[in-house]
Amino acid sequence: MIQAFYTGISGLRTNQTAIDAVSDNIANVSTVGYRGYNVEFSSLFEESINTQSASSSVDSSIGVGSKVNATVMNEDNGSLILSDKSTDLAINGDGWFSVQGEGNPLYTRNGTFTFDVNGDLVTTDGLHVLGTLGNNISNGILSPQLDEINLSDVSTQKNLNFPKTLTFPSISTTKASFSANLGIDDVTRSVSAGVIDGQGVKNDLRLEFKKSATQTSPGVQWDVVATTKSLDGTTLYDTQSGKVSFDASGGLLSSTLSSIDNNGTSVAIDLGTEYAGIVATSGSVFAGSSSTDGKQAGNLLGYDINSNAEVVATFSNGEQSSVGKIALFHFQNDKGLERISGSRFRESANSGEPIFYKNTAGKNILGASVQNFKLENSNVKLEAGLTDLIIHQRAYDANSKSITTADQMMQKALNMDA
């Protein structure tokens, strides 16, 4: 009977712990980034009972109590839910975001981030998100333009903060390429391109083609005049002339027009080769097209986050550049992380220190895909949690009943003795 008291009391304690864990899971079934916990039990002691046969199917031991062996994190990923913000992120795979807590970094799967009034990437309660800065911003000027940023070492991750005002500097045009079909008729044709000068101002580069008065067979020759002017046409910067020769089929053979001055900046003129570029065939005449390598200055419109966890600055001139990268941290033992509150954890001796995964070239990588405009919901399944809660409540009641029964048996035994 004394054994029944010990067994029942230990059952109450272990099932109460399980009920608390399951209740906590159910309460956070809608908490973004939440990871549930499962409770594992083990027997305290067992007393063996002799049986007639070693192969008997009858249980040959009596348990004398149980204990909570461990409360283990459920590492399954939660379902992804849609969001309307590019700064809302979900990790599809293994890994943790890190935010700067009071003193030590905290780790979370909750990617509900936003840019505050200072341009810092923070959580909804103001903690800074950690990552690698592109170091391509100086005195409010972007340089250079980056498509991607490589993660630095784990120990060097910083708060991701960015200026509220940022300028994309102008880049002078150094080359202009043209394509057009001049046709075979003696008609003046023109094609133009926008070119950026050293002051960041966009000017007009225009080429005018007219058949040469003197022709040398085979093939045909055209005279070309290039001019650079301000867009309003009031200022002429330079004029250059040349001759363009085509073969009998209209393919480009040569051009003596090589470059032109654009308000102090030399621009190379590329008319192509053979049938790629400027041609003079009997086919359909088209006005032509151009491409240049220059870029106008632009002002910052805002910051976004792409699916590669890059913080991207967008400018009024249509250009974009990566200025930072959000880090994903990994641990040797995720289950060893110590939960602080809700969906936030900190490292412990059991989890080990945070690490980055590396690719075959030895560079730090995310180690998982990050999806923007999405959030990871809790990985707790409500139906499973309610079922577990019923099971543990009934087990709790059963252990309580065993204590009551043992007490009644003890009272009967005492009364018999009297």
Side-chain angles (χ1 to χ4, degrees), residues 150-163:
N150 294 322
L151 285 174
S152 58
D153 293 336
V154 172
S155 60
T156 62
Q157 301 306 299
K158 300 178 180 179
N159 296 347
L160 291 175
N161 42 36
F162 309 98

Side-chain angles (χ1 to χ4, degrees), residues 44-123:
L44 284 171
F45 302 101
E46 287 188 352
E47 180 181 355
S48 297
I49 300 176
N50 292 327
T51 60
Q52 296 295 324
S53 172
S55 61
S56 173
S57 62
V58 178
D59 190 358
S60 59
S61 65
I62 298 176
V64 292
S66 63
K67 68 173 182 177
V68 174
N69 196 47
T71 304
V72 182
M73 180 197 298
N74 178 3
E75 294 187 85
D76 294 338
N77 287 356
S79 59
L80 300 185
I81 52 179
L82 293 176
S83 167
D84 58 355
K85 294 168 54 183
S86 71
T87 53
D88 285 341
L89 305 177
I91 303 172
N92 191 6
D94 179 38
W96 300 84
F97 298 116
S98 182
V99 297
Q100 186 61 55
E102 294 183 1
N104 296 318
L106 302 178
Y107 302 93
T108 181
R109 301 275 297 188
N110 184 352
T112 308
F113 304 140
T114 187
F115 289 101
D116 64 11
V117 294
N118 297 318
D120 299 347
L121 185 62
V122 297
T123 61

Side-chain angles (χ1 to χ4, degrees), residues 89 132 146-150 304-313 322-326 366:
L89 305 177
T132 299
L146 299 175
D147 294 327
E148 186 176 0
I149 294 172
N150 294 322
D304 293 292
I305 303 174
N306 64 19
S307 58
N308 197 35
E310 303 276 347
V311 180
V312 178
S322 180
V323 291
K325 190 180 186 75
I326 299 171
L366 296 179

Side-chain angles (χ1 to χ4, degrees), residues 21-38:
V22 174
S23 299
D24 195 24
N25 288 344
I26 294 174
N28 288 279
V29 71
S30 298
T31 301
V32 174
Y34 183 84
R35 287 201 158 179
Y37 276 81
N38 301 319

Side-chain angles (χ1 to χ4, degrees), residues 89-368:
L89 305 177
I91 303 172
N92 191 6
D94 179 38
W96 300 84
F97 298 116
S98 182
V99 297
Q100 186 61 55
E102 294 183 1
N104 296 318
L106 302 178
Y107 302 93
T108 181
R109 301 275 297 188
N110 184 352
T112 308
F113 304 140
T114 187
F115 289 101
D116 64 11
V117 294
N118 297 318
D120 299 347
L121 185 62
V122 297
T123 61
T124 52
D125 56 350
L127 297 185
H128 284 83
V129 181
L130 298 182
T132 299
L133 293 171
N135 295 322
N136 56 341
I137 298 176
S138 178
N139 298 322
I141 304 296
L142 177 80
S143 180
Q145 184 179 14
L146 299 175
D147 294 327
E148 186 176 0
I149 294 172
N150 294 322
L151 285 174
S152 58
D153 293 336
V154 172
S155 60
T156 62
Q157 301 306 299
K158 300 178 180 179
N159 296 347
L160 291 175
N161 42 36
F162 309 98
K164 292 187 292 184
T165 58
L166 184 62
T167 300
F168 189 101
S170 63
I171 301 175
S172 301
T173 300
T174 59
K175 182 179 179 181
S177 301
F178 298 88
S179 63
N181 181 13
L182 304 180
I184 58 176
D185 297 328
D186 188 6
V187 179
T188 301
R189 309 289 186 189
S190 64
V191 60
S192 62
V195 288
I196 312 300
D197 63 22
Q199 289 71 46
V201 178
K202 187 175 183 179
N203 300 315
D204 180 61
L205 167 58
R206 179 174 295 272
L207 305 183
E208 290 191 352
F209 297 87
K210 187 175 182 180
K211 271 191 175 181
S212 302
T214 303
Q215 295 288 321
T216 303
S217 298
V220 63
Q221 293 79 44
W222 290 67
D223 295 324
V224 56
V225 176
T227 57
T228 48
K229 295 181 179 180
S230 58
L231 290 181
D232 59 10
T234 59
T235 304
L236 175 67
Y237 296 114
D238 192 18
T239 300
Q240 296 290 331
S241 300
K243 186 178 291 291
V244 183
S245 299
F246 301 90
D247 62 23
S249 300
L252 181 64
L253 291 176
S254 63
S255 171
T256 62
L257 182 64
S258 58
S259 64
I260 193 171
D261 178 72
N262 177 33
N263 193 20
T265 302
S266 178
V267 178
I269 297 175
D270 179 17
L271 301 184
T273 57
E274 296 184 342
Y275 298 97
I278 301 296
V279 297
T281 68
S282 58
S284 299
V285 175
F286 62 92
S289 62
S290 61
S291 62
T292 62
D293 59 356
K295 296 175 183 177
Q296 278 188 291
N299 295 320
L300 179 69
L301 296 179
Y303 298 103
D304 293 292
I305 303 174
N306 64 19
S307 58
N308 197 35
E310 303 276 347
V311 180
V312 178
T314 302
F315 298 89
S316 58
N317 61 354
E319 297 295 328
Q320 292 184 323
S321 175
S322 180
V323 291
K325 190 180 186 75
I326 299 171
L328 284 190
F329 296 81
H330 304 270
F331 294 87
Q332 295 290 345
N333 177 25
D334 286 1
K335 293 182 179 180
L337 288 170
E338 178 185 355
R339 186 164 72 180
I340 302 302
S341 63
S343 59
R344 289 178 182 168
F345 300 77
R346 66 184 175 195
E347 68 174 274
S348 69
N350 289 331
S351 68
E353 295 181 351
I355 59 174
F356 284 154
Y357 289 162
K358 297 181 181 293
N359 60 15
T360 54
K363 292 183 178 180
N364 295 326
I365 59 175
L366 296 179

